[in-house]
Amino acid sequence: AQKVTQAQTEISVVEKEDVTLDCVYETRDTTYYLFWYKQPPSGELVFLIRRNSFDEQNEISGRYSWNFQKSTSSFNFTITASQVVDSAVYFCALHTSGTYKYIFGTGTRLKVLA
Amino acid sequence: KAGVTQTPRYLIKTRGQQVTLSCSPISGHRSVSWYQQTPGQGLQFLFEYFSETQRNKGNFPGRFSGRQFSNSRSEMNVSTLELGDSALYLCASSTGVGYTLYEQYFGPGTRLTVT
């Protein structure tokens, strides 16, 4: 079965704090893609990153970084020096070659307080 | 490049009615997917179309259907609406070509309320 778990329903941090959003996935497929999307209050999901199962390199993009660990089936997302504009719901998603479907986690609502 | 557009943005319908939602993908994108987003169930995959063919389908009843036109625009239809169909319906497009899976670009959604 394919599954994405985002155990953190809601996280509140104070501006400039670092925060990590957890994502754990399950799949038996050896070929798959993992994604992170951001959904601001306006409602439109915004693509943040894509990672395929053969590429375990961590990635950094500005204040955002992602840690992909196949050994623990995790694809965690860290925001350093958080800002109020980072407040949104963040979704982790899995797409496998077997089902050819996107499976989204339930999302983590991040609130960054000024 | 214009983003994914969805019409209408808001819709109020009565139980038992049917509704059609429209999605125009980003120019050049041939794949269109539909999702239902509710507070209780989160984001759930409805179906995906590529070159006018349904490529994949989620676990929704037959009341939910869709189609894609030759210009890649897509419509989804929900017949015999139920209160539980109230949700934000999101459309996403991607190039959808070949083995490499590209990211999806989402539209703003259509907020459907069934009374």
Side-chain angles (χ1 to χ4, degrees), chain A residues 31 39 50 99-101, chain B residues 37 56-57 99 101 103-104:
Chain A
T31 303
Q39 188 175 38
R50 175 190 73 233
T99 66
Y100 210 78
K101 293 179 185 178
Chain B
Q37 186 176 22
N56 217 331
K57 189 176 187 302
Y99 172 75
L101 185 68
E103 61 272 18
Q104 293 186 314

